[in-house]
Amino acid sequence: MPVILAIESSCDETSASVCADGVILSNVIANQTIHEAYGGVVPELASRVHQQNIVPAVQQALLNAKVNKNDINAVAFTRGPGLLGSLLVGVSFAKAFALAKNLPLIEINHMQAHVLAHFIGDHKPSFPFLCLTVSGGHTQIVLVKDYFDMEVIGQTTDDAAGEAMDKTSKILGLPYPGGPLIDKHARQGDPDAYKFPEPQIPGFDFSFSGLKTAILYFIQNNVKANPNFIQENLNDICASVEKRIATILLNKLKKAADEYGIKDIALAGGVSANTGLREGLLEMGAKNGWNCFIPKLEYCTDNAAMIAIAGYHKYLKGDFVGQDIAPLARMPL
């Protein structure tokens, strides 16, 4: 029964998890609030806070799992993609822990791990399936043929969906991080109050830069006419923006599902926590006879549990790396 210690530090969450024989025993996430003052993640500050959080996070994960460090059979870690300084903290800790305990190391691609989060628990998709992976930095439609055989068949050509939400929240004067606040206000608004354009991008690719610009001009023009426009219509604006982003994502996903003839459809990544997107997928799935898979909220954002489950399946294959391994800011799927 392999026991895997997993480390995730790709951006601004320091996370540690323990997995035993494919079952997640603990998943500790230390969030960083220092970036709120800057309206976005500051890479140098992120890496410093990771250094402060990494040891307590691992200690808490071991305690929550009721596992001794001597029971660990391997250490899995996020190698990339991500912020290089942040990754370096997690990779260095994983290498040191493995060296001290004479354990094998397992490198994990962060984006693959988001997809494999669907193999935590009993409700699992069957291969092949399509996964819409949506986060602050990535927007992809992935054809998943096996645990580590994945093909990106569609992706954003500019901004990611999460970026579009964060930039919209900034235009509206909402504090960082803006995605959850847009979700909160959208629940009280009318999603059909305002119409925003849907980019006409060929194939399965996405574009959000034009939508972002359209939202900016829409807000500027209405504020000129009514300085209180945002305050008076915030809920409706958020609901309308959220609906447009969700429909852009889901329309492309349906196009891919139809072309590939696949009925198992999954959602992953930080933006998969968005209520409108989750509800939209379930509604579209019901109309099209899809088997829909949406991770629990704790497995949507960056977390070490997804690294642990990916590490478990690599452990079964004997797929290990040496101490000469280094983090990668860019790491293709």
Side-chain angles (χ1 to χ4, degrees):
M1 188 178 73
V3 179
I4 312 292
L5 171 65
I7 308 295
E8 155 61 23
S9 67
S10 63
C11 190
D12 62 336
E13 280 100 2
T14 313
S15 185
S17 175
V18 176
C19 166
D21 202 28
V23 178
I24 301 301
L25 301 183
S26 65
N27 185 38
V28 174
I29 303 172
N31 295 303
Q32 299 183 4
T33 57
I34 194 170
H35 308 286
E36 293 174 4
Y38 301 92
V41 177
V42 182
E44 176 61 27
L45 294 178
S47 58
R48 291 183 186 184
V49 179
H50 279 304
Q51 289 177 318
Q52 297 169 5
N53 289 343
I54 187 75
V55 172
V58 170
Q59 286 179 327
Q60 194 61 51
L62 291 171
L63 281 171
N64 291 357
K66 298 178 181 177
V67 166
N68 188 285
K69 60 181 180 291
N70 295 322
D71 298 326
I72 303 297
N73 298 115
V75 183
F77 62 93
T78 301
R79 186 184 184 191
L83 301 175
L84 197 56
S86 295
L87 289 166
L88 190 60
V89 176
V91 173
S92 298
F93 181 92
K95 289 167 66 173
F97 191 100
L99 185 64
K101 307 302 292 182
N102 194 28
L103 299 173
L105 280 166
I106 305 171
E107 66 161 0
I108 300 298
N109 183 305
H110 180 82
M111 299 310 296
Q112 284 187 340
H114 271 304
V115 175
L116 294 178
H118 290 285
F119 292 90
I120 299 172
D122 297 325
H123 187 53
K124 303 171 185 176
S126 300
F127 300 116
F129 66 92
L130 289 176
C131 186
L132 174 64
T133 309
V134 200
S135 66
H138 297 82
T139 301
Q140 302 174 334
I141 298 177
V142 183
L143 174 60
V144 188
K145 305 168 189 175
D146 205 342
Y147 292 109
F148 301 101
D149 185 2
M150 304 181 189
E151 178 188 354
V152 177
I153 60 172
Q155 60 188 328
T156 182
T157 59
D158 41 59
D159 287 355
E163 285 180 278
M165 284 195 177
D166 284 340
K167 288 174 181 176
T168 297
S169 71
K170 198 166 188 177
I171 293 169
L172 295 174
L174 299 174
Y176 176 87
L181 292 174
I182 287 182
D183 193 344
K184 177 183 175 182
H185 287 290
R187 305 282 66 76
Q188 306 167 63
D190 177 6
D192 297 313
Y194 306 107
K195 303 296 182 185
F196 295 105
E198 180 170 359
Q200 300 304 307
I201 308 299
F204 307 130
D205 287 339
F206 304 92
S207 172
F208 289 97
S209 62
L211 174 64
K212 178 193 68 179
T213 303
I215 294 168
L216 175 63
Y217 289 159
F218 169 81
I219 296 298
Q220 287 178 341
N221 292 336
N222 280 280
V223 167
K224 280 182 185 177
N226 174 13
N228 296 318
F229 176 75
I230 294 177
Q231 292 87 336
E232 293 172 1
N233 301 279
L234 182 59
N235 293 339
D236 287 348
I237 297 169
C238 289
S240 301
V241 168
E242 181 187 85
K243 180 180 179 180
R244 173 49 73 210
I245 291 175
T247 55
I248 290 171
L249 294 168
L250 294 173
N251 288 344
K252 288 287 187 175
L253 184 59
K254 182 182 184 302
K255 184 178 180 181
D258 289 346
E259 182 155 327
Y260 282 87
I262 291 176
K263 294 292 187 182
D264 278 20
I265 310 294
L267 190 61
V271 181
S272 67
N274 178 267
T275 306
L277 182 57
R278 295 165 81 93
E279 291 177 350
L281 176 64
L282 293 174
E283 183 179 334
M284 184 173 280
K287 288 180 182 177
N288 292 278
W290 294 348
N291 302 312
C292 294
F293 300 86
I294 302 175
K296 292 181 180 178
L297 289 176
E298 65 181 303
Y299 303 137
C300 291
T301 54
D302 295 346
N303 66 91
M306 67 183 192
I307 306 301
I309 201 70
Y312 167 71
H313 287 285
K314 278 202 169 186
Y315 183 93
L316 296 180
K317 294 173 57 182
D319 189 353
F320 306 126
V321 295
Q323 282 284 335
D324 59 341
I325 200 76
L328 296 172
R330 294 174 183 251
M331 190 175 179
L333 192 64

